[in-house]
Amino acid sequence: MRTTVGIIGAGPAGLLLARLLHVAGIDSVVLESHDRAYVEHRQRAGILEQGTVDVLREAGAADRLDREGLRHDGIELRYDRRRHRVDFPGLTGGRSVTVYAQTEVCKDLIALQLADGGPLLFEAEALAVEGVEGTRPTVRFRRGGVEETLECDYVVGCDGFWGIARRVIPERDARVFERTYPYAWLGILADVPPSHDELVYARHERGFALLSMRSPSVSRLYLQVPAGTDAESWSDDEIWDELDRRFETDDDWTLRRGPITQKSVTPMRSYVHEPMRHGRLFLAGDAAHIVPPTGAKGLNLAVGDVVTLARALAHERSTGSAGLLDTYSADCLHRVWQAERFSYDMTTMLHRAPDADPFEDRLQRARLDRIAESRAASAELAEGYTGFLY
């Protein structure tokens, strides 16, 4: 099998890259180790930055997003029983975010790819990437028990943190930057309308909590818990009682309760692999970087990567110049480190560390007070949350 761009992984990064290349007239093949049902139902991020929404519209992949996505013009910060709203459009010149689950983005892109894009092969496990330092790299993969070879001009690893693509880069040529956190998120899906019409980020002496949603009838909520927590160790009543405590305010706001349909625990880490290119291999999305979910950046960073790469490949096709491909890693990493900084700041401002002392406690409150009292500080948060330009 032969193509111009071999893409490993049919998550949002790989699928959107394939779509952008198709629009640009560049052929590709996408290899995905799981079946279609798995890809379309794995729960991940749900906040799309303004730039991500714009890209999906330009790619012709936003029909359902525009009908069903929930535009949000702000978030609420909650601490010391007080509430402060951050107005995104008023602070950023009109930018907003949209609640639309990653599962839905994948469904939309899969449907488009199967209808008019290049080959999208499910249950095709990538086994090895070879020859990336030459001009004809290959991907060996297994499908239906048979090993096959995909010959490419370029290979793109969109196969996540545990994928094979990143391992191709020799250790001598790589640098890894990592931070692990001593807490995690216990997340639930609940069949109950959201208790607020925008996301609520709560800092409490017992730990962080987040009120989010998947739709007007389904709530998504999170509790800070110790790293390594088993989700089933919390009963439904215990979860709702703890959410009640952490969201408490001095007004008459109440938390709506309903049947919990899913529980999971998300570990917290920051990770960056440099560089994001080796020869004719390019990394995108979680294969190259991980952010804690507090800043809602993971999916959006992946979109930024593939927009940058698609633009570079189209430039090379039309001009013969590899200049934008040569700067791909540096261009992406500049944006990645800004997102890492923003996510780290949000995480450390809102979560209570197990060994936190009174000094750190006061600093967190001072940072939140600064946002509540200063337009400049609120604008900094709003600009970071709604997205760094692609």
Side-chain angles (χ1 to χ4, degrees):
M1 189 179 298
R2 180 84 176 89
T3 192
T4 300
V5 182
I7 301 171
I8 306 173
L15 290 167
L16 180 57
L17 176 59
R19 180 64 185 175
L20 295 173
L21 294 177
H22 173 74
V23 171
I26 300 172
D27 59 296
S28 68
V29 173
V30 182
L31 306 175
E32 168 57 47
S33 60
H34 297 95
D35 62 22
R36 180 177 179 178
Y38 177 89
V39 176
E40 291 187 337
H41 291 92
R42 54 187 168 190
Q43 293 291 332
R44 292 292 189 273
I47 304 296
L48 306 185
E49 294 174 356
Q50 182 72 63
T52 296
V53 172
D54 294 343
V55 166
L56 290 169
R57 286 175 178 153
E58 292 168 8
D63 287 351
R64 197 160 63 93
L65 164 63
D66 285 335
R67 292 195 309 271
E68 301 177 13
L70 306 175
R71 174 179 163 135
H72 281 204
D73 287 336
I75 59 172
E76 182 174 289
L77 299 176
R78 194 171 293 189
Y79 66 105
D80 294 343
R81 304 177 67 92
R82 292 181 286 162
R83 306 167 65 177
H84 173 72
R85 182 175 183 269
V86 179
D87 173 20
F88 292 161
L91 294 163
T92 64
R95 283 153 56 183
S96 63
V97 297
T98 299
V99 175
Y100 190 69
Q102 176 175 310
T103 51
E104 306 310 310
V105 173
C106 288
K107 288 175 186 176
D108 297 341
L109 291 170
I110 287 171
L112 285 170
Q113 188 71 9
L114 294 177
D116 59 16
L120 168 53
L121 308 181
F122 291 105
E123 298 181 89
E125 180 187 6
L127 304 173
V129 179
E130 300 168 339
V132 297
E133 295 176 353
T135 59
R136 298 289 186 186
T138 60
V139 182
R140 288 193 292 108
F141 66 98
R142 183 168 46 234
R143 181 172 55 143
V146 177
E147 188 170 313
E148 303 180 52
T149 299
L150 176 63
E151 298 177 351
C152 326
D153 292 336
Y154 301 100
V155 178
V156 185
C158 301
D159 51 346
F161 183 79
W162 302 106
I164 68 166
R166 189 177 64 249
R167 302 178 216 160
V168 175
I169 301 178
E171 289 187 12
R172 67 178 183 276
D173 296 330
R175 295 189 68 190
V176 170
F177 303 86
E178 189 169 15
R179 172 67 54 87
T180 57
Y181 300 87
Y183 35 75
W185 279 10
L186 170 61
I188 63 168
L189 279 175
D191 285 338
V192 61
S195 302
H196 194 60
D197 55 2
E198 293 177 334
L199 273 67
V200 177
Y201 286 76
R203 185 262 182 205
H204 192 273
E205 62 182 13
R206 295 174 64 90
F208 169 75
L210 171 62
L211 186 157
S212 183
M213 64 282 295
R214 282 292 179 262
S215 74
S217 61
V218 177
S219 293
R220 182 73 159 154
L221 301 109
Y222 298 92
L223 284 171
Q224 175 188 340
V225 294
T229 293
D230 177 4
E232 297 305 319
S233 67
W234 284 71
S235 71
D236 291 6
D237 286 341
E238 287 173 331
I239 291 172
W240 286 119
D241 289 346
E242 190 62 23
L243 287 166
D244 258 330
R245 293 187 192 99
R246 298 190 193 183
F247 286 123
E248 62 189 356
T249 63
D250 282 331
D251 58 18
D252 59 357
W253 183 91
T254 57
L255 178 68
R256 296 171 179 163
R257 299 190 178 202
I260 294 176
T261 60
Q262 184 184 105
K263 299 178 190 176
S264 62
V265 171
T266 302
M268 307 278 283
R269 75 187 316 174
S270 300
Y271 176 93
V272 179
H273 182 283
E274 296 185 1
M276 291 173 58
R277 177 193 181 180
H278 180 70
R280 287 179 173 254
L281 168 69
F282 297 82
L283 303 179
D286 287 359
H289 41 72
I290 303 286
V291 288
T294 325
K297 288 284 165 277
L299 168 61
N300 298 291
L301 272 182
V303 170
D305 293 344
V306 299
V307 167
T308 302
L309 183 54
R311 186 181 299 134
L313 289 166
H315 180 75
E316 192 266 349
R317 168 68 65 88
S318 62
T319 68
S321 169
L324 294 183
L325 290 172
D326 291 339
T327 62
Y328 167 76
S329 182
D331 292 344
C332 287
L333 286 169
H334 178 76
R335 174 177 36 79
V336 165
W337 276 111
Q338 287 300 319
E340 292 282 355
R341 174 197 59 79
F342 176 79
S343 299
Y344 177 82
D345 287 348
M346 288 284 286
T347 300
T348 56
M349 178 175 68
L350 293 165
H351 291 74
R352 185 172 179 81
D355 59 351
D357 57 27
F359 181 80
E360 291 170 288
D361 179 74
R362 290 295 189 185
L363 283 180
Q364 286 184 319
R365 296 183 185 188
R367 291 164 71 184
L368 287 161
D369 283 340
R370 174 66 177 166
I371 292 169
E373 297 165 2
S374 164
R375 180 179 175 84
S378 289
E380 170 69 14
L381 188 155
E383 288 173 0
Y385 199 96
T386 55
F388 302 101
L389 298 178
Y390 306 152

